[in-house]
Amino acid sequence: MPHATLAASRLPHSGIREIVDLALSATRPVIRLEIGEPDFVTPRHITEAAFEAARVRVSYVQTAGVPALREAVGERIQRTYGVAAPLEQVLITHGAVQAVDALLSAVVGPGDEVLIPDPAWPNYEMQTTLIGATPVPYALRQADEFQPDLAEMRRLITPRTRVIVLNTPNNPTGTVLRPEVLAGVVALAVEHDLLVISDEVYDEIVFEGTHLNAAALAPDHVASVFSFSKTYAMTGWRVGYALVPAWLADTVTRILELETSCVSSVTQAAALAAVTGPQDAVAHMREAYRARRDAAVGVLESAGIDLVRPHGAFYLMLPLPDGTDSRLAALDLVSAGVSFAPGSAFGRSTPNHLRVSLAASEASITDGLSRFLAWRDAGGVRAGAALAGEGR
């Protein structure tokens, strides 16, 4: 009988989807704070551009993307971050996930190593594993405000290391890397001749300060990945883009051709309208996320919970007492009427945290956190710790 490859068979199931599935099948209403999807609708001028494109013609287009869109996002990168983004280095992808996958496939092979943040979006580890390479986590600890330890990262680099993955603003922590930390990571990559894959899909959702683009520090050693999904509430449209070093662009383009031929022409028309049209919706959503962040932090700090205040994205890491199993806690909380993603779904450094998604209304967030506090005060945390001790 045919069988799956060893690498494919090692892919874990998503700890986030486990909670999603449970919340969807619950017999009572559940306040959904586990999923990282904007609750806003795609701005109207974007959908209208897609309708018009569909009426004119739907067809195959260039693998690397429609030139008008590549030029527009290249101009956006250069205008915003001061880094050159010529057309031949800008690639349109089927969401940011394809960009990350294609970049890893281009430079990483079996037996290689990839440094990934921990906690992190699970796909980094899954994509690395599927290639046959080894994911090497570098810890982001609450005690360090979820900033990486550069000395620790240096120790993790070996002759087999090929890539360092960065994600700022970070999912799941909401952390924005400090400028000196970002510069230090890029310097490590230059010193060891590594590629940095800089996941910057939340670059427009920064609450304090400004987002810094890693490619501006070392263009030949950094590939920056962006997405329309979070910025414009376009998750289902599936369109992202990447600024790729000149030496790598053609190789990545050939991988994109293999994977999808091209991104939908209708989707690209919508993306072009998004990046060239009014940006007031982007500012409106960012301010809504900021208000939700402030409300969530206020509720939790008033309850005596010591947490790291997120400065970007739309997530917050909610710490549980030491010894609490976040998966068991998340499962139990669904029965209490609120769903969170367990910290264990994102790596090994946050086994006793829950990720709170701020991509829900402020009322839902405050109500959901109130249900969490009631669960905690009723002994839910102690029960979770006891179950963890039993190895269940």
Side-chain angles (χ1 to χ4, degrees):
M1 177 180 291
H3 56 82
T5 66
L6 181 60
S9 65
R10 288 176 174 170
L11 290 178
H13 288 285
S14 170
I16 306 168
R17 295 304 307 182
E18 180 182 24
I19 303 301
V20 170
D21 293 343
L22 186 62
L24 289 173
S25 61
T27 56
R28 59 172 290 188
V30 176
I31 296 175
R32 303 281 306 283
L33 302 181
E34 90 287 352
I35 198 73
E37 180 169 24
D39 61 328
F40 298 98
V41 298
T42 305
R44 184 172 179 175
H45 69 280
I46 298 174
T47 57
E48 288 179 346
F51 290 145
E52 181 59 30
R55 280 191 288 265
V56 174
R57 186 176 183 225
V58 180
S59 64
Y60 289 126
V61 293
Q62 297 90 336
T63 294
V66 175
L69 179 57
R70 294 167 70 193
E71 290 174 357
V73 296
E75 289 171 1
R76 184 249 171 193
I77 292 170
Q78 185 158 6
R79 179 177 64 252
T80 306
Y81 301 118
V83 59
L87 181 110
E88 59 271 17
Q89 292 177 236
V90 175
L91 307 177
I92 307 302
T93 60
H94 191 72
V97 63
Q98 187 189 25
V100 174
D101 182 69
L103 286 161
L104 285 170
S105 298
V107 297
V108 177
D112 290 340
E113 295 176 348
V114 177
L115 267 60
I116 61 173
D118 182 354
W121 183 48
N123 289 46
Y124 304 140
E125 181 171 348
M126 295 172 70
Q127 290 166 318
T128 299
T129 300
L130 190 58
I131 291 169
T134 300
V136 178
Y138 61 89
L140 309 178
R141 301 179 179 88
Q142 179 175 342
D144 299 323
E145 298 186 329
F146 298 120
Q147 299 282 334
D149 183 324
L150 293 176
E152 179 179 297
M153 292 184 71
R154 177 181 291 278
R155 290 193 297 270
L156 293 173
I157 295 173
T158 75
R160 295 186 298 276
T161 307
R162 296 290 177 267
V163 167
I164 300 174
V165 176
L166 285 179
N167 176 212
T168 181
N170 178 269
N171 173 18
T173 68
T175 298
V176 175
L177 287 185
R178 300 186 187 110
E180 65 273 16
V181 174
L182 181 68
V185 174
V186 174
L188 279 176
V190 173
E191 177 185 347
H192 294 274
D193 199 23
L194 308 175
L195 177 70
V196 172
I197 298 179
S198 180
D199 183 343
E200 304 177 33
V201 301
Y202 297 97
D203 70 323
E204 289 282 2
I205 309 176
V206 175
F207 307 132
E208 286 84 28
T210 57
H211 174 73
L212 300 176
N213 173 251
L217 301 175
D220 289 336
H221 286 269
V222 178
S224 293
V225 176
F226 304 89
S227 176
F228 288 84
S229 293
K230 317 299 183 180
T231 303
Y232 297 99
M234 292 178 65
T235 54
W237 297 84
R238 308 312 305 133
V239 58
Y241 56 101
L243 174 62
V244 179
W247 59 270
L248 188 57
D250 182 64
T251 300
V252 175
T253 300
R254 282 179 273 145
I255 293 171
L256 297 178
E257 181 178 336
L258 168 69
E259 292 181 339
T260 55
S261 296
C262 62
V263 175
S264 161
S265 58
V266 172
T267 291
Q268 293 195 61
L272 181 60
V275 74
T276 60
Q279 301 299 301
D280 53 319
V282 177
H284 168 74
M285 288 186 279
R286 179 171 53 247
E287 291 310 306
Y289 294 135
R290 185 202 307 273
R292 296 170 183 183
R293 186 272 313 263
D294 291 345
V297 169
V299 168
L300 295 173
E301 288 186 341
S302 294
I305 295 175
D306 184 21
L307 52 85
V308 177
R309 185 183 185 90
H311 295 291
F314 40 66
Y315 306 106
L316 178 152
M317 290 301 275
L318 168 54
L320 302 171
D322 290 343
T324 308
D325 185 314
S326 62
R327 175 179 173 270
L328 295 176
L331 291 170
D332 195 41
L333 277 159
V334 173
S335 64
V338 60
S339 55
F340 304 100
S344 57
F346 302 95
R348 301 153 188 83
S349 295
T350 50
N352 61 323
H353 284 70
L354 299 170
R355 188 192 72 174
V356 182
S357 172
L358 305 177
S361 70
E362 187 172 329
S364 293
I365 292 167
T366 54
D367 190 6
L369 292 176
S370 295
R371 294 187 185 191
F372 163 78
L373 293 173
W375 171 85
R376 180 199 67 170
D377 294 342
V381 168
R382 292 191 298 275
L387 288 172
E390 295 172 9
R392 290 174 57 184

